[in-house]
Structure formats: C-alpha cells, structure tokens
C-alpha cells in the first residue's frame, strides 16, 4: 500500500468490498408470509426495553422494498452483500418443515444479488430466535443448538449453491451476554450462569450447523462473525492489568479459543465455575464439533474498551479517566471491572471511541495467535447525528472519516501479514438499532422512517468511489468529486 502523500492507496485485486444488514433491523413485515414471532418482537414490545418503545414491526420495510434496496447495493458498486435470514420466517415455531414463503423471500435476495453480480453472504442467525424456542429455555438449553443445526440444513438445502459465503452466527457474545447476562438485549435475562451456558450452546450450535451445511452442500464456504475488541488497562497497576485480562477472556478468548484451539480458556472456566449451570453443560465431543476447520473468520469491530479493576475507580479517576456512574451491568460487576474512557477523544454518536488502530490490532492478533484462515471484516461503521439538509443532501463527513481510517487500518494489517480479504460497512442503510431503536443511524443511506424514502448519504458516494477505484483516494480529491 505504500504510497506517497497525495496518492491513492490501493487494495488488492478482488478485495471483497461489501455492506451489511440484518433481518430484524431492516425487514419489517413481521406478520407477512407466515413468519413466526421472534424474541426481538417480544422484547421490543415489552415496555421500557427499547428507546422510545421502538420495534422492528415496520423497520425499513425492506421485505416489501427488496428490489429497490438491491438496486441500491448495485449502485454502491458493492461486490458482496451481507444479509441475515430470519429464523422465524423459515421455521415459525423453531422446528419442523420449512415455510416455503419464507424461503422464497431469501431465494429472491440470493437470485437478485446474483443477477446484479453481487456475492450473497448469508448470516443464519443475527439474534432473532423463534420465541417458541425461548419459551423452552432458549440458548441456555442444549436442544436449541440442535434446532439451529436443523434450521441451517433447511436453508442450505434450499439456497445452497446460490450463497457465496455462509456465516453461522453473528456476534454470539451479544446473544449470550447481552441477551442472558446484562439483559440489555432479547430475551432480557440477567443471569451470569445462563449467559455462560448460552455461550457454549451457541458455539456448539455453530459447530453442528457447519456440519449440517457441509453435509447438504459440501462446497459451501462457512465461517462465523465474532465481535472482537482490544481491551486496554486503565493503568499499568497489576490489578488493572488483571482486570483487562478478565474482560479479554470474556469478550474475545471465550470464543476464539474453543473455535480455534478446541478448549475454553482455563481462567474463564475457573471464573464462571460458581455460576450455574455455566460451562458444566459442556459434553464430551462438543469442543471437537466447535473447533472443526472453517473457511474464514468474520470480525466485527467498532471500538476498543478500557477498564480498571473495580476497586480502583478512584485511582482511574485521579489519573484523568471518565468513570461513568456505575449502571447495573451484571457482566462488568461479575468480572469486577469498571469500564472507563479517556475524555476528549473522538467518539461516535454511540459514545464509542474512534480508534482504527484497534481494528489492525485485532486482525493481526487473530492471525498471530489463533488461525491462518482468511479474515473478513464483516461489520465496521459508525452512528452520527445525520440530518437532511435543506438541499435534500445528507452530508456525513465524520462517517467518511471513520470508514477511511478503518480501511487504512485494514491495509496496515495486511501489510503486517494479516490475510484480511474483505470489508463490509455496517450498514447499507439506517435501521432498527436494537435497544436504541431508531435513534442511532449507521447507514450509508438515510431512511426517512415516516415515508421509508431512501436518500444516499455522502458516505454512500464516497464508498462507491472507493470500491470503483479499489483504492482510498486522497481526501481532497474525494470531497470535491462528491459535490461536483
Ligand atoms: C453490531 C450488530 C449490528 C449492529 C451494529 C451497530 O453489534 O451486529 O446488528 O447493531 O452492532
């Protein structure tokens, strides 16, 4: 990539530039086509769980505007599009034969992408568990993993050869720890032991799903998307160093080690020993299923984290960190850590610190410590307080800056030896941002929710230019061209 100042910085040929969405966040039409109820329908309709009581009932109305949205992906010039399948559209009650209307919708996506020369990257599970399975206990129950494998097989049978890449799970950490630990996500349970058991059954379900996909469709390229984050210690005090290691264990190693080394990290097994059922649910043979070889690893990256030991919040504050008033985050209190942040660093509308170096760091770490399989950045992006200007445009220079910085980090990691082969912006369009409802906009495309009109933002044109050039253009060139 080495380029003199002012030159374009090129990506390798065929670098998989894409954009991503997820079913519950964009589709709407929650009762159409025989779709069953998911845990996110239940959760978002429970008072107090989402910002403003927002739900995904209508979302971006993507289910009904599919062709228009696929045209947008084509206009973006994306070489790949990452979408997720809503499990309750395929199996409304989480078991039994596939619902043909549900399969049809995703067949239309796959074929619509292929006809536009865009590679379909399909995620099987982006958090919308059929409610019927939650009623039987959800991911803390082993049977959910078997149900997931059955569902994976059904989707593979029907869409098999059209799909370019398969992602079993999106961010199992969030499903397990936000869903069953802190309760910030559906199904809203706050129980560390259940979160740990859910972690194992998600990973076991992943392994079983990989088998199911490959037995139906042997040539399938299969991976998983993990949200990985570098964890920094607030100070070099040994207690803070140990605190950062515990968070790294929970956030990163708890997933990377079983997937790529066939074991759970011993410090984490010890830590969660007293939280029943926790990892007592692991059975002989499970880790072999979890650690079978993958074709690629997906990494979702947004921001790093900094923590102090819970007993050292005064010291962290004394050296200048902002120490947020402790909210009742069960995951952190169980790990005996205090999340902190350094004031005056650039942050997104989510409050997430902008630190592209963290992405390069994680890319290099997985290559060095865990796996040689190719890596895709399956999500990266930022929410900012965008608005439609009187001239009808949406100017989002901060998002362009964020994406540019992170794409540079991708190239740096490549130079340092990471086999990173693709990058997907989160997200193609503004959408239902889970507990934050519609209050956070991550899109390259603005969605006017009352009318569902789509307006490509400046970042859309910037990204299209980047993909077309297969290079990062110097900033001056880009901005003048955006409004030429
Ligand atoms: C990730 C999720 C994605 C979106 C982004 C902002 O954790 O996978 O659905 O919400 O965060």
């Amino acid at each position: 990539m080495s380029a003199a100042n002012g030159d374009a910085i090129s990506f390798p040929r065929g670098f998989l530039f894409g954009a991503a969405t997820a079913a519950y966040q964009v589709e709407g039409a929650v009762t159409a086509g025989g779709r069953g109820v998911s845990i996110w329908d239940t959760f978002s309709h429970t008072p107090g769980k989402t910002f403003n009581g927002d739900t995904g009932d209508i979302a971006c109305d993507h289910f009904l505007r599919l062709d228009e949205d696929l045209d947008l992906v084509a206009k973006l010039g994306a070489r790949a599009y990452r979408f997720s399948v809503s499990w309750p559209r395929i199996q409304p009650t989480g078991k039994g034969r596939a619902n043909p209307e549900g399969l049809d919708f995703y067949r239309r996506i796959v074929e619509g992408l292929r006809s536009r020369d865009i590679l379909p990257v399909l995620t099987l599970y982006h958090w919308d568990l059929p409610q019927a399975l939650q009623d039987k206990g959800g991911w803390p129950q082993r049977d959910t993993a078997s149900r997931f494998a059955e569902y994976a097989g059904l989707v593979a049978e029907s869409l098999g050869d059209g799909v370019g890449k398969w992602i079993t799970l999106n961010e199992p950490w969030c499903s397990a720890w936000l869903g069953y630990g802190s309760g910030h996500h559906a199904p809203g349970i706050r129980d560390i032991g259940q979160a740990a058991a859910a972690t194992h059954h998600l990973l076991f379900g992943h392994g079983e799903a990989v088998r199911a996909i490959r037995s139906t469709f042997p040539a399938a390229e299969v991976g998983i998307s993990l949200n990985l984050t570098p964890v920094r210690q607030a100070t070099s005090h040994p207690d803070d160093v140990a605190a950062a290691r515990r968070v790294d264990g929970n956030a990163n190693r708890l997933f990377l080690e079983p997937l790529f080394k066939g074991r759970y990290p011993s410090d984490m097994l010890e830590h969660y020993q007293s939280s029943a059922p926790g990892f007592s649910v692991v059975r002989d043979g499970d880790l072999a299923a979890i650690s079978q070889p993958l074709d690629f690893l997906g990494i979702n990256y947004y921001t790093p984290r900094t923590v102090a030991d819970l007993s050292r919040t005064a010291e962290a504050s004394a050296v200048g960190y902002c120490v947020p008033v402790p909210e009742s985050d069960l995951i952190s209190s169980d790990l005996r850590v205090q999340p902190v942040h350094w004031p005056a660093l650039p942050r997104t509308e989510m409050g997430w610190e902008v630190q592209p170096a963290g992405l390069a760091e994680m890319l290099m770490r997985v290559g060095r410590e865990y796996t040689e399989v190719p890596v895709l950045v399956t999500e990266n992006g930022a929410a900012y307080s965008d608005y439609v200007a009187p001239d009808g445009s949406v100017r989002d220079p901060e998002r362009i800056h964020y994406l540019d910085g992170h794409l540079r980090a991708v190239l740096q990691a490549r130079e340092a030896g990471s086999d990173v082969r693709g990058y997907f912006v989160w997200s193609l369009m503004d959408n239902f941002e889970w507990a934050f409802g519609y209050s956070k906009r991550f899109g390259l495309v603005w969605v006017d929710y009352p009318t569902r009109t789509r307006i490509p933002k400046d970042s859309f044109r910037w990204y299209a230019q980047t993909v077309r050039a297969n290079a990062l253009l110097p900033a001056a060139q880009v901005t003048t061209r955006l409004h030429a």
Side-chain angles (χ1 to χ4, degrees), residues 289-482:
I290 294 172
S291 61
Q292 66 200 290
L294 295 178
D295 299 293
F296 65 92
L297 169 66
I299 295 185
N300 296 356
Y301 171 81
Y302 291 90
T303 189
R305 290 162 69 178
T306 306
V307 295
D309 184 86
L310 198 53
S311 69
R312 289 183 39 82
T313 50
E315 286 84 347
S317 169
V319 295
Y321 283 101
C322 294
V323 179
V325 182
E327 38 147 333
S328 48
D329 178 349
L330 212 55
I331 309 167
S332 296
S333 59
D334 171 74
L335 290 167
R336 300 186 318 281
V337 300
Q338 170 66 53
V340 298
H341 59 257
W342 196 251
L345 288 177
R347 292 198 273 154
T348 71
E349 188 71 7
M350 298 294 283
W352 297 346
E353 190 186 310
V354 179
Q355 214 191 96
L359 174 56
E361 189 179 323
M362 279 325 293
L363 287 169
M364 291 184 302
R365 178 174 170 199
V366 295
R368 200 173 52 235
E369 294 179 24
Y370 293 100
T371 178
E372 289 181 347
V373 294
V375 175
L376 299 173
V377 178
T378 41
E379 281 181 30
N380 176 244
Y384 286 108
S385 50
D386 308 325
Y387 60 94
V388 183
D391 67 0
S393 67
V394 181
R395 303 198 166 180
D396 56 343
E398 292 162 302
R399 180 170 296 103
I400 294 175
H401 183 73
Y402 181 99
L403 298 175
D404 177 88
H406 286 78
L407 279 167
R408 278 170 207 275
V410 165
L411 286 172
Q412 272 158 17
R414 271 191 68 87
E415 274 220 327
S418 161
D419 190 9
V420 49
R421 298 193 188 176
Y423 174 94
F424 291 70
V425 174
W426 184 271
S427 173
L428 174 67
M429 57 186 151
D430 296 338
N431 58 46
F432 176 78
E433 179 46 36
W434 309 112
F436 294 92
Y438 297 99
S439 67
K440 307 291 179 202
R441 293 177 176 274
F442 276 87
L444 296 173
V445 175
W446 168 278
V447 176
D448 178 53
Y449 292 112
T451 62
R452 267 86 85 186
T453 307
R454 279 88 162 115
I455 306 175
K457 303 178 190 177
D458 272 6
S459 57
F460 181 98
R461 283 180 283 277
W462 172 85
Y463 193 58
Q465 259 182 44
T466 305
V467 178
R468 207 178 314 122
N470 204 43
L472 286 166
L473 301 173
Q477 274 182 37
V478 176
T479 39
T480 47
R481 284 190 206 165
L482 281 181

Side-chain angles (χ1 to χ4, degrees), residues 235-244 246 308-312 336:
T235 76
S236 56
H237 189 284
D239 291 351
D240 291 340
V241 174
R246 291 194 294 278
D309 184 86
L310 198 53
S311 69
R312 289 183 39 82
R336 300 186 318 281

Side-chain angles (χ1 to χ4, degrees), residues 210-221:
V210 172
R211 282 185 181 149
I213 298 165
R214 286 188 178 143
S215 74
T216 320
F217 184 56
E221 274 191 47

Side-chain angles (χ1 to χ4, degrees), residues 43-192:
F43 187 76
S44 65
H45 279 272
T46 307
K49 298 297 186 192
T50 65
F51 174 85
N52 195 38
D54 289 348
T55 74
D57 287 3
I58 299 173
C60 307
D61 207 20
H62 174 70
F63 188 78
L64 295 176
R65 290 166 193 255
L66 181 60
D67 291 325
E68 178 187 347
D69 288 340
L70 295 184
D71 284 345
L72 275 172
V73 185
K75 203 168 156 207
L76 187 61
R79 298 173 190 156
Y81 175 60
R82 176 176 175 231
F83 62 98
S84 83
V85 174
S86 157
W87 186 350
R89 280 200 197 281
I90 307 300
Q91 290 182 303
T93 58
K95 59 174 202 249
R97 58 183 282 276
N99 165 28
E101 282 183 83
L103 286 173
D104 270 358
F105 176 64
Y106 297 104
R107 203 174 289 117
R108 278 179 57 211
I109 296 190
V110 170
E111 287 170 5
L113 290 168
R114 288 285 182 190
S115 70
R116 291 167 176 84
D117 207 16
I118 299 162
L119 191 79
V121 177
L122 181 154
T123 305
L124 281 164
Y125 186 72
H126 202 124
W127 307 353
D128 42 2
L129 185 73
Q131 181 62 42
L133 294 184
Q134 182 53 41
D135 295 343
K136 294 192 177 143
W139 287 110
Q141 295 300 320
R142 191 175 178 88
D143 187 55
T144 304
S146 312
R147 299 280 65 77
F148 180 61
E150 179 184 89
Y151 153 68
L154 292 174
V155 179
E157 261 167 43
S158 158
L159 304 177
D161 51 355
V163 174
K165 293 184 194 296
W166 295 81
I167 294 170
T168 54
L169 303 175
N170 177 70
E171 303 189 352
W173 183 87
C174 293
S175 302
W177 293 89
L178 300 181
Y180 296 91
S182 73
H184 287 117
H185 279 186
I189 290 167
R190 288 164 49 81
D191 181 323
I192 296 298

